[in-house]
Amino acid sequence: MDTVEGKRGDSKALLTLLFRNCSLMLILLLPEKTQECVIAALDRLTALLGIEVFQELFPVILTDNGSEFQYPARMECDEYGEIRTKIFFCNPHSAWQKGMIEKNHEFIRLVIPKGQTLDIYTQVDMTLLMNHINSEARDSLNGCTPFKLSQLLLNVKLHQVLHLEEIAPDEVTLCPELLKK
């Protein structure tokens, strides 16, 4: 789990979650880059999936020591106190320990260059972006897409509640025109 920021002074940020087994990346738009907003996003995801499916999909979450992740006990438990996951932190200044998610952020930056505002986007925009990124075939997946692998490896309820859809290979767009405002 990580966050992506836009232009300095933006209020919105992106919360990203990556499934290492298939490279599927989730992108959730946060109103602010705060621990309260991260917790609210995890609570929403738990409510959509149900606690059992959340626990199945996210038995552990690895993140960095960012200020938005400084309340691990609340991230680990749902709003009723039931344990939904276990949070682990990378060592300080060791982004390489979660290098796969950092590499996936490059796909976001193809569409939303560093320094560009995120404040103009909605979750619908981020779902579109997420679907295009997850429909891009990868050499690391032997030419398969994260979306196709995720259908085999992950609970299908994730696809349903987050509106994950496959984009045809010739329609995948990973450039700023995808989210032209």
Side-chain angles (χ1 to χ4, degrees):
M1 179 168 66
D2 201 1
T3 54
V4 175
E5 296 178 82
K7 186 172 77 177
R8 189 179 304 274
D10 272 4
S11 56
K12 293 182 180 178
L14 306 178
L15 179 67
T16 58
L17 295 115
L18 181 79
F19 293 92
R20 292 178 46 89
N21 62 348
C22 59
S23 295
L24 186 83
M25 182 168 57
L26 307 181
I27 304 173
L28 306 175
L29 187 65
L30 301 175
E32 297 178 314
K33 186 183 166 189
T34 64
Q35 60 186 352
E36 293 82 8
C37 289
V38 169
I39 291 166
L42 293 175
D43 286 346
R44 278 191 310 277
L45 194 52
T46 302
L48 288 169
L49 293 169
I51 188 77
E52 295 84 11
V53 174
F54 190 98
Q55 290 167 332
E56 172 193 330
L57 290 169
F58 304 99
V60 297
I61 295 176
L62 176 67
T63 191
D64 59 32
N65 292 296
S67 61
E68 69 275 26
F69 304 126
Q70 293 306 302
Y71 195 15
R74 183 56 181 87
M75 289 189 296
E76 289 181 336
C77 297
D78 70 6
E79 58 190 318
Y80 307 107
E82 187 171 351
I83 295 175
R84 62 179 157 205
T85 189
K86 289 289 183 189
I87 301 289
F88 293 91
F89 294 97
C90 296
N91 293 329
H93 310 291
S94 300
W96 58 269
Q97 291 176 338
K98 56 181 185 63
M100 196 173 194
I101 198 166
E102 298 290 348
K103 182 73 175 155
N104 262 274
H105 287 172
E106 292 178 11
F107 289 108
I108 295 172
R109 293 304 186 192
L110 292 173
V111 179
I112 306 171
K114 193 172 181 112
Q116 182 178 319
T117 187
L118 297 175
D119 287 351
I120 61 174
Y121 298 114
T122 65
Q123 183 57 52
V124 171
D125 296 323
M126 293 306 103
T127 300
L128 178 65
L129 175 59
M130 179 172 47
N131 285 332
H132 279 259
I133 290 171
N134 290 323
S135 296
E136 174 75 4
R138 315 276 170 88
D139 289 341
S140 62
L141 301 175
N142 291 325
C144 196
T145 68
F147 180 85
K148 280 192 171 138
L149 276 180
S150 71
Q151 288 184 303
L152 298 171
L153 299 172
L154 303 177
N155 191 307
V156 69
K157 191 168 185 182
L158 180 71
H159 297 81
Q160 294 166 348
V161 302
L162 292 181
H163 309 287
L164 300 179
E165 299 173 359
E166 186 173 24
I167 307 299
D170 59 340
E171 294 178 19
V172 171
T173 303
L174 293 176
C175 60
E177 286 71 31
L178 177 66
L179 299 178
K180 203 95 169 162
K181 292 282 181 182

